[in-house]
Every structure is written in structure tokens, then in C-alpha cells.
Amino acid sequence: MIDTPPLPQAPPRRPIAELPDELISQIAAGEVVERPASVVRELLDNAIDAGASQVTVRLLEGGIRAITVEDDGQGIPAGELPLALRRHATSKIRNLAELEAVGSLGFRGEALAAIASVSDLSITSRTADAAHATRLDARSGELQPAARTRGTTVEVRELFFNTPARRKFLKTEATEQAHCLETLRRVALTRPDIGFALWADGKLAAQWRPSRLDQRLAEVLGEDFVAASRSLSWAAGPLRIEGRLGLPEAARSRADQQYLFVNGRFVRDRTLAHALRSAFDDVLHGQRQPSYALHIDIAPELVDVNVHPTKIEVRFRDSRGLHQQLRRLAEQTLAASRAEVPERPTGPDGSNGPDAPAPVAPWTAMPAASGGEGPWQAAEPRRDWAAVPQQNALPWATAPAEPRYDPARDAWLVRASAAAPTPFSAPAAAAAVAPDSGAGAEDWPLGRAIAQLHGVYVLAENRHGLVLVDMHAAHERVLYERFKAALAARMDAQPLLIPVVFAASAEEIATCESQQDALQQLGLDLSPLSAQQLALRSRPALLEGADLVSLARRVLADLAAVGGSHALERAQHDLLATLACHAAVRANRQLTLTEMNALLRDMERTERADQCNHGRPTWRQLTLRELDALFLRGR
């Protein structure tokens, strides 16, 4: 017979009693104050809300021993200093209406009280009309005159001195100092008009003077980030998005250079992060992480900042619409390739003559789409896809080999020879520069082909120097984008002869019922069959043979998490990428100069031509200066 352990005895009942105020503040401090960097963040928020133009942070032993934050803001009147240390006392809000449209960084009125409960805290402040500053000791409550100019100084000493268990969880001084510096970097990126300085153990660790946003980005994140990123600026209605997106070749192994700011507040939002990561799907190699610094300004009533004690998370009223808009903007920003055809001035008659620019579609507003998208939706610019196959051809069919010369569009180019078949698009072949002519060669970003190296690389010359092209990777991207355009033009849903029935959780069934419009747009006829089963009755025509149950579950998970899903689109694009890889020109295929030039022209007309479908680079530029340095010319 097996002996069973005795059941644990219930503890004796204790009467319900109110907690003392100090313990309440210490419990609140556990939510607000995690480490010295948490204190720095809260005090920086207060300094910015006070209208400071210069903020100085001083740390001693990584902030564990002491943190001092000085600002030149409005200051606190002497009579209000004791009230500033009371829990939930603030000047930021007065009623529910102001809480639902918070325009300040701080608003709860519990930060100073929480910090004071786990440290020795003092505040020295002076307003513009005060004869002198006043210092308040949080422990004794004593007020006494002090000397300082207008503004506020908050000193926090011996953090967690009265909660030793919390202090044991702190890391080394260097680690805590690094966290404080990262907090200051985030705040500095939100307010380039404010100067910031960080002193660590008496030494200046970082300093940023008031400047423009682009200059502050370069100072905080480095010139390399600015050089390897693209600007994004867009506004419509209550929404404005501005900042920089790192290029795919600047992707990092860790997600340590991803900065999202909502109304001047650094946030971690999985909806926005998912939108940006999905925009990089086609251009990132392996598990590389994109880099970006984006500021999102949105009407305060459309975002709830009161969802997390540290205000690191927010909730949007229309998260799905914002997700789709941010993803669309990021995709369009990344779509432009460094290999694009350069702009040329309009001809005398106003037409696109030899020096006319290619038309560029401007941002245009459009009505909100179905499914609850916000009023900030923008129409996707239409591209002049040079080689989209005809509707009666397979989407992966090779374009006709016979080039067609269009004098109205390419009058400044030499007609390519039609004798040699080319695997590339007809317009590209027509635009290819003939090997015996330099007409227009210096105007093309990828220049004119001069040779093929080991049957793998195409060598070309342009005005900057030498261009090296991986011909398979480049042709793969050209075909892939062509297939995607053809797929978008002919998206069909195919009914299933026998519905696919699978077990589903309560959350999946609820998501299916609430997201029917989104599912129909994705080509999925998915509906509940019972309280525990879902039935799939149609699928996108291209996904024949796919694991439909797994795809449906992924779609439902995305819809539940971020309000939108690109799982089916990714599955379709994976298939197209495989087709493009097999259809692209292979290594050791000997190309003529006409074919090489046709490939270069195709790349110049193709979005995302800088990377292949797997995120690898397709071409590289060696400038004349770099070549001269290799051979020590000019020394």
C-alpha cells in the first residue's frame, strides 16, 4: 500500500486590516522602481514635463549609491513640496477627461512617493518668482532654505537601503550605469530640443546639446546608423510618423537598436514591432533584426498610456489600422533600391524626353478600409511594373525574348540586339546599353556591363567606379517581384470539395467569429462548426498542398495578437521565392553583354533590388577612391 503524504494544514485565519502607508508605498515601488534606471526615467519625465531646456544626471556607483537629476524647469513652489511626495498627488491631471487624453509623460503622481519609500530622497526647487530655493528632506519632512537657480534638483541616495532583498537583485555597478545611460539615450531621442548630460562618478559619460532630430539621431545612435538608414516622414489626420528605418544590410544579430516612441514616450509595443518586422520579411537574411528609430505622434484620445505601471506599454484604439499603415509605410520606404533609375529633367515640351524623370507617385490619402482601419490610411503608390506577364500567362512565365523599342520612352538608349535571346524582361532588354556605345551609360546607377567573372558575377562600370553583381541573386529578386505583382493582380480563392475540420480553442473560435471580414479578404472561408471545431471551406488558389490547418491557426493567432495577419501572404511568397530561385539564371551560364545589360536595367526597375529573396546582397559598388586606395594611387 502506497503511503500518501498528509495534506498541508491551512494557516490560521488572520483578520483583514488596512496596510500602513509606508508598506503601501513600498509595494507600489516594486512596480515602479525596478533598478536605478527606473528612477532616472521617472525623474527625467518630471523634468521634461516641467519645461526644462537642460537636464543633468549624476550617478554614483552606477546609481546604487546616489542619483541626482538637475533641471532648469519651472520649479515647485515651497508650499507644494510636501504634497509632491504624497501618493497620487500630481499637477498633470484633474479628471477622467484629462486622464483619457494625457499629454504629459507623468500623470499618476506616485513616482516620487514610491522612490522616497525605498531610498533617502530630497528635493531642492525654486520657481522664477521665489527669493530663494527650498529643500525638502523626505525622511524628516523638514523644509529649509537652499541656494540654486530656477529649477529642481532631486537627490536619491542609497536605493533599496530598507529593502535589502531588492538590493541583492541589482547587477554590478557597470551594468546598472549602462542601463541608466540607455534610459537617457531613449529620452534624448524623443526631445532633441533639450540638452542632456550624464556624469558617472565625477566623469562626463555622455552629453548632447540641443539640436535637430537628424543631428540628435547621429549623435546618439552614431553616424553609421544614419548613413545606413532611410528617412520616413508621413502624416494624415490625427497621425504622424517620422524617423529612420535601417537598411537591410545594417540589420543586427540582436534587437538592440529598435526605438519606438509614441507621443514622446519610449514604448515596447508588439503590434508596432510586428508590423515593422513583417515589413522586413523579404529583405532580411536569417534571424537578423532590423534597426529603426520612429516617432509616432497620435491624438491622445486614440491611445491609452495608463495600461502599465512603468508606462512602457500603450494600447491603441485602432491597433489593426495602425499596424497595417505602419507596415505599408515601412515596406514602401524599403522598396526603393539604390539601383533605381536616376531622375532626369522634363523635356522642353513637358514630356518625358531623354532627360525626363520617371514618374513618382506621391502619398495620397484614401478612405479607411473595412475592418476598422483608422483615418490615416494611405493609398499604395502604383508602380510601373515593366515586365508583368499577361493575364493568360503563368505568373512565372519568362518574358518574350524579342525586345521592343519604345522611342517615346527610351529614345536616348540604343536598341539591343534581338538576335541573342535573353532571359530578362523585354523592356529591360530594350533599355540595355549596347556594348559599343556609351550613350547614357554614366546615367544608369548600375552602369554598363563590361564582363562576366567565373560565370557568377557581372562586372559593370558607372560614374562612381566598378559595380559587382551576383547575377543569380539579382535575377532571383527581379523574378520574385514580378511574380508578386502578378499574384496581387489575380488573387483567387478556391473552394474545397471537402471542408477541412479541426479542433479549435475558445480563443480561436472567438477570433474567427469577430474577424470574418479579415478572413474573407485573405481568401479563407473559415467558420465555427461547433463549440470546439472550425471548418475551412476555401483557401487561396496558390496554396495547393499546403498545411491548411497550421496556416489557419497562424492566421487566427496573428489576428488575435495584432489585429491583422500576413501568414498566408508569407506562405505564398515563400512559394514564389522558390519558383524565382529555380527560374533565375544559374551560375556558369555565359551571358552576352546584351543580356548582362538587360539584367542591370531590370534591377534598376525592380523594388528591393539590393537584396535577393533570402536577404543576401545582390550588388556592391567599389568607388574609384576605394580602387585608388587598393593600388596606393595618389600617395
Side-chain angles (χ1 to χ4, degrees):
M1 183 176 181
I2 300 176
D3 294 333
T4 58
L7 295 176
Q9 296 295 322
R13 183 186 179 279
R14 301 173 66 180
I16 299 174
E18 289 187 273
L19 296 176
D21 289 340
E22 184 177 10
L23 182 56
I24 292 174
S25 296
Q26 289 174 343
I27 293 173
E31 300 176 341
V32 177
V33 183
E34 178 185 359
R35 60 194 334 149
S38 306
V39 175
V40 172
R41 184 190 65 247
E42 296 290 350
L43 298 182
L44 286 173
D45 287 351
N46 287 340
I48 293 174
D49 286 341
S53 60
Q54 176 65 44
V55 182
T56 301
V57 180
R58 303 180 189 275
L59 304 177
L60 191 60
E61 296 183 10
I64 302 172
R65 186 69 60 193
I67 301 171
T68 303
V69 176
E70 305 170 356
D71 69 67
D72 59 355
Q74 298 172 351
I76 305 173
E80 296 181 15
L81 279 174
L83 190 60
L85 294 179
R86 297 282 299 275
R87 294 184 64 244
H88 304 302
T90 179
S91 62
K92 313 296 175 60
I93 59 173
R94 287 289 184 271
N95 49 49
L96 179 60
E98 292 183 354
L99 176 62
E100 293 179 343
V102 173
S104 56
L105 296 178
F107 56 89
R108 289 196 178 97
E110 60 181 344
L112 288 177
I115 295 170
S117 68
V118 291
S119 68
D120 282 331
L121 182 144
S122 65
I123 304 177
T124 305
S125 190
R126 179 181 180 181
T127 58
D129 57 352
H132 57 80
T134 303
R135 183 179 185 274
L136 170 66
D137 185 277
R139 281 286 154 194
S140 64
E142 179 184 1
L143 287 170
Q144 58 185 4
R148 71 148 294 161
T149 57
R150 192 194 73 164
T152 303
T153 299
V154 181
E155 299 176 66
V156 179
R157 297 175 300 277
E158 301 297 341
L159 188 63
F160 299 134
F161 79 97
N162 54 356
T163 52
R166 295 285 306 278
R167 190 156 184 163
K168 291 179 180 179
F169 281 95
L170 296 179
K171 305 300 182 183
T172 64
E173 296 175 8
T175 300
E176 297 301 338
Q177 178 179 318
H179 283 288
C180 291
L181 176 58
E182 177 63 18
T183 297
L184 188 62
R185 284 158 56 92
R186 294 170 181 174
V187 176
L189 287 173
T190 67
R191 294 299 300 269
D193 58 318
I194 300 177
F196 295 93
L198 175 67
W199 293 78
D201 298 319
K203 298 179 180 179
L204 184 62
Q207 183 176 22
W208 302 293
R209 303 185 187 279
S211 60
R212 303 184 312 273
L213 176 59
D214 54 349
Q215 184 177 347
R216 180 60 62 85
L217 282 170
E219 291 172 348
V220 176
L221 300 182
E223 295 284 355
D224 291 342
F225 170 79
V226 176
S229 62
R230 285 193 178 136
S231 175
L232 189 159
S233 182
W234 179 90
L239 179 67
R240 178 177 180 83
I241 302 175
E242 186 176 12
R244 300 194 71 86
L245 282 178
L247 293 172
E249 53 261 35
R252 304 164 70 88
S253 58
R254 296 185 299 139
D256 59 346
Q257 207 171 65
Q258 297 179 352
Y259 296 92
L260 278 173
F261 306 96
V262 176
N263 292 349
R265 190 191 312 273
F266 175 81
V267 300
R268 290 193 183 97
D269 186 85
R270 63 178 182 178
T271 299
L272 301 182
H274 181 274
L276 290 167
R277 185 61 181 86
S278 61
F280 279 83
D281 277 348
D282 271 356
V283 290
L284 279 191
H285 180 62
Q287 299 300 316
R288 305 283 288 176
Q289 295 293 327
S291 58
Y292 48 79
L294 291 178
H295 297 261
I296 299 175
D297 292 323
I298 187 173
E301 61 271 15
L302 298 179
V303 57
D304 185 4
V305 298
N306 191 26
V307 296
H308 194 275
T310 62
K311 297 167 288 190
I312 198 72
E313 297 177 6
V314 294
R315 183 175 299 140
F316 298 99
R317 181 172 297 182
D318 181 18
S319 59
R320 180 186 175 194
L322 183 56
H323 176 279
Q324 293 180 344
Q325 180 60 28
L326 182 59
R327 181 176 187 263
R328 184 182 296 114
L329 288 172
E331 284 182 334
Q332 292 170 349
T333 301
L334 296 170
S337 167
R338 291 181 294 122
E340 285 184 337
V341 178
E343 293 188 358
R344 298 174 175 80
T346 307
D349 58 351
S351 62
N352 291 351
D355 295 325
V360 179
W363 294 111
T364 54
M366 74 175 185
S370 60
E373 288 80 354
W376 47 76
Q377 297 293 334
E380 185 172 357
R382 296 179 62 86
R383 294 280 304 187
D384 180 16
W385 294 100
V388 177
Q390 299 298 319
Q391 292 294 329
N392 57 356
L394 293 175
W396 49 86
T398 307
E402 174 65 24
R404 293 175 296 171
Y405 182 60
D406 185 355
R409 179 173 179 178
D410 295 327
W412 66 93
L413 301 176
V414 179
R415 177 188 175 110
S417 171
T422 173
F424 311 112
S425 71
V433 180
D436 58 348
S437 171
E442 68 280 359
D443 293 331
W444 297 107
L446 297 182
R448 177 180 58 179
I450 55 178
Q452 188 177 13
L453 180 64
H454 289 291
V456 176
Y457 301 101
V458 171
L459 307 183
E461 61 174 345
N462 62 3
R463 67 174 63 191
H464 302 294
L466 179 67
V467 176
L468 295 92
V469 178
D470 183 332
M471 66 181 194
H472 173 75
H475 194 209
E476 189 176 8
R477 169 59 73 178
V478 170
L479 292 178
Y480 179 48
E481 293 296 333
R482 195 181 304 166
F483 296 165
K484 284 165 58 178
L487 175 65
R490 46 188 300 178
M491 183 77 71
D492 297 322
Q494 180 175 331
L496 299 176
L497 184 62
I498 301 176
V500 177
V501 179
F502 59 96
S505 65
E507 182 181 10
E508 288 174 332
I509 291 177
T511 302
C512 176
E513 292 176 337
S514 63
Q515 299 285 351
Q516 277 298 308
D517 290 343
L519 292 170
Q520 292 294 334
Q521 291 175 7
L522 295 171
L524 288 178
D525 183 1
L526 187 65
S527 59
L529 188 65
S530 68
Q532 297 179 335
Q533 288 182 318
L534 289 173
L536 180 64
R537 295 180 172 83
S538 71
R539 58 160 174 81
L542 188 64
L543 296 182
E544 183 177 1
D547 185 348
L548 297 180
V549 174
S550 176
L551 278 175
R553 291 188 187 279
R554 284 162 51 193
V555 169
L556 292 173
D558 286 347
L559 289 174
V562 298
S565 177
H566 301 282
L568 292 175
E569 182 183 22
R570 285 194 295 269
Q572 292 171 332
H573 287 180
D574 287 344
L575 175 59
L576 297 183
T578 301
L579 294 172
C581 184
H582 288 291
V585 62
R586 295 289 181 177
N588 299 320
R589 161 77 182 274
Q590 296 300 315
L591 303 181
T592 65
L593 286 176
T594 298
E595 290 174 325
M596 286 185 264
N597 278 306
L599 174 59
L600 298 179
R601 302 294 79 79
D602 251 337
M603 292 173 64
E604 291 164 347
R605 287 178 167 84
T606 300
E607 293 183 340
R608 306 172 186 87
D610 299 335
Q611 287 81 29
C612 74
N613 314 341
H614 313 293
R616 296 186 294 104
T618 59
W619 67 282
R620 283 289 183 261
Q621 173 84 60
L622 281 178
T623 64
L624 289 174
R625 178 176 297 182
E626 291 171 329
L627 293 172
D628 290 343
L630 288 175
F631 295 97
L632 306 181
R633 289 179 58 87
R635 295 190 181 181

